[in-house]
Amino acid sequence: MSRTLVQPVGQKRLTNVAVVRLRKHGQRFEIACFPNKVLSWRACVEKDLDEVLQSHTVYSNVSKGVLAKSKDLVKAFGTDDQTKICIEILEKGELQVSGKEREAQLSSQFRDIATIVMEKTINPETRRPYTITMIERLMHEIHFAVDPNLTSKEQALKVIKKLIEHFPIKRAPLRVRFTAPKSNFAGLMEKVAEWNATVISKDESGTQPSIVCEIEPSILHSCEERLKDVQGRVEVLSVSAHAEGGPSVEHHDNVEVPQAAPAKESDAVAEISETMQKQSISSESQGNAQGKQQRRCKECDVLVDDKQYREHCKSGWHKHNYTRHKNGLPPLSQEECVVEMELADSKKDLKDYDF
């Protein structure tokens, strides 16, 4: 008599699952959801619960298929209604993601935080914002770690406070317009002097004279309160005032001042340039080799002379982009790569970030 393979018919296999876990009253409860749907539900984009949950069942361990006991559900949630419990776990629970997904999320949030910091800060000497690459480098130097439970703006403000303690960087001033009745305009000017505001322009014509100036963001709230004494009001023109182009006409005598900052950083620039010359192939040599056979490096997305391809593959630039290629990240240019290698000692990649 031939043997037949008997398989269970009541078994439901959960594949491609995003697990949401909640600990309550010393017990662990889990629900099985569809990937990328949990965040949509929490952002109120997805309204249909059936599109989020794979089943209206509460587990104590989804991976092993162990269901939660009814008495534990009643003790922890006060009810045994599986749907209500699933909604509570969906809203308050912790989303379990894979290592690569978590790394991608943290990397994206790290970039968002750096962008916010760049928009809200300036170099106090040049009054211009730092580049995004430089901000990321400074954030690594203070060993900043992303907290996924906080918003990017909250973490950016904390980063700015730490950067101010260690590096020549400060908050970009607010550009505001103060307006007051003509009878109280003298009192307004006294208060502006007390706030150490930088006056940009004045307009004393009409019954409501105004003054445009730059102030520190931290004193905006106090300015609004104290302007009530002179029946004035404040209007924010720009949340981040940066210097653009060359020096203005009013500061023509100080033309040489903004040029002093690059002189101080000349050593670092020279060091980066020297590293680039050692670890990468110069554009001139590539131009001279146009008539020769070339090979494309898919990791760096450049054309390299066939004879120099071996040397290129040994360079730090190629090795760094090779690591980024394995992590699904786009290649960096020579300049960006050198700055990042200077930061990470030419050996670290995104997996080594101290998140």
Side-chain angles (χ1 to χ4, degrees), residues 38-56:
V38 177
L39 298 179
S40 299
W41 171 270
R42 292 178 176 177
C44 298
V45 175
E46 182 61 60
K47 306 281 187 180
D48 190 356
L49 189 62
D50 293 330
E51 294 292 330
V52 181
L53 298 177
Q54 295 211 9
S55 65
H56 293 249

Side-chain angles (χ1 to χ4, degrees), residues 10-271:
Q11 185 179 19
K12 182 177 181 180
R13 296 187 180 275
L14 298 176
T15 58
N16 196 20
V17 177
V19 179
V20 180
R21 180 181 300 164
L22 177 66
R23 289 188 176 274
K24 198 170 184 180
H25 291 273
Q27 299 288 334
R28 184 178 72 178
F29 302 99
E30 298 179 348
I31 56 176
C33 306
F34 292 101
N36 303 325
K37 288 293 185 179
V38 177
L39 298 179
S40 299
W41 171 270
R42 292 178 176 177
C44 298
V45 175
E46 182 61 60
K47 306 281 187 180
D48 190 356
L49 189 62
D50 293 330
E51 294 292 330
V52 181
L53 298 177
Q54 295 211 9
S55 65
H56 293 249
T57 307
V58 181
Y59 298 82
S60 60
N61 193 318
V62 171
S63 60
K64 296 182 179 180
V66 180
L67 301 178
K69 298 180 180 179
S70 297
K71 61 178 183 179
D72 293 337
L73 295 176
V74 174
K75 180 180 177 181
F77 299 95
T79 180
D80 58 353
D81 189 339
Q82 300 271 344
T83 302
K84 292 183 179 179
I85 296 174
C86 286
I87 294 176
E88 182 175 347
I89 296 175
L90 195 59
E91 293 177 350
K92 300 180 180 179
E94 180 182 357
L95 177 62
Q96 308 296 307
V97 296
S98 64
K100 289 186 177 180
E101 290 176 338
R102 184 181 297 108
E103 181 182 344
Q105 292 175 1
L106 294 177
S107 177
S108 176
Q109 191 173 6
F110 184 88
R111 186 80 175 185
D112 293 341
I113 295 171
T115 302
I116 296 174
V117 173
M118 179 191 68
E119 294 173 350
K120 292 184 175 294
T121 58
I122 60 172
N123 185 329
E125 297 179 354
T126 63
R127 291 183 54 80
R128 289 180 173 83
Y130 287 98
T131 62
I132 186 68
T133 306
M134 183 63 69
I135 293 296
E136 290 182 347
R137 173 184 175 184
L138 297 180
M139 290 171 63
H140 288 306
E141 289 185 1
I142 63 174
H143 305 289
F144 170 72
V146 175
D147 187 350
N149 298 321
L150 298 177
T151 63
S152 298
K153 186 175 181 179
E154 291 175 340
Q155 298 184 72
L157 296 177
K158 293 181 179 179
V159 169
I160 292 174
K161 293 180 180 179
K162 290 185 178 180
L163 292 178
I164 292 175
E165 297 175 359
H166 300 89
F167 303 103
I169 189 173
K170 74 171 188 176
R171 282 289 301 270
L174 288 176
R175 181 164 295 177
V176 297
R177 177 187 288 116
F178 294 126
T179 307
K182 199 165 188 178
S183 58
N184 297 332
F185 190 69
L188 174 62
M189 293 300 300
E190 293 178 1
K191 293 184 180 298
V192 169
E194 293 177 4
W195 298 328
N196 295 325
T198 303
V199 178
I200 305 300
S201 63
K202 293 182 184 179
D203 183 9
E204 300 185 22
S205 61
T207 58
Q208 292 284 334
S210 63
I211 176 173
V212 177
C213 56
E214 295 180 355
I215 62 173
E216 293 294 328
S218 58
I219 67 172
L220 178 62
H221 183 68
S222 62
C223 291
E224 294 176 346
E225 295 295 329
R226 298 185 64 181
L227 281 177
K228 295 179 181 179
D229 300 338
V230 295
Q231 300 177 353
R233 59 187 178 88
V234 58
E235 177 186 358
V236 178
L237 303 179
S238 174
V239 295
S240 181
H242 296 156
E244 297 180 0
S248 60
V249 177
E250 292 84 352
H251 299 84
H252 182 72
D253 296 335
N254 299 327
V255 170
E256 297 181 358
V257 174
Q259 298 177 355
K264 295 181 179 179
E265 299 177 358
S266 58
D267 295 339
V269 174
E271 184 178 351

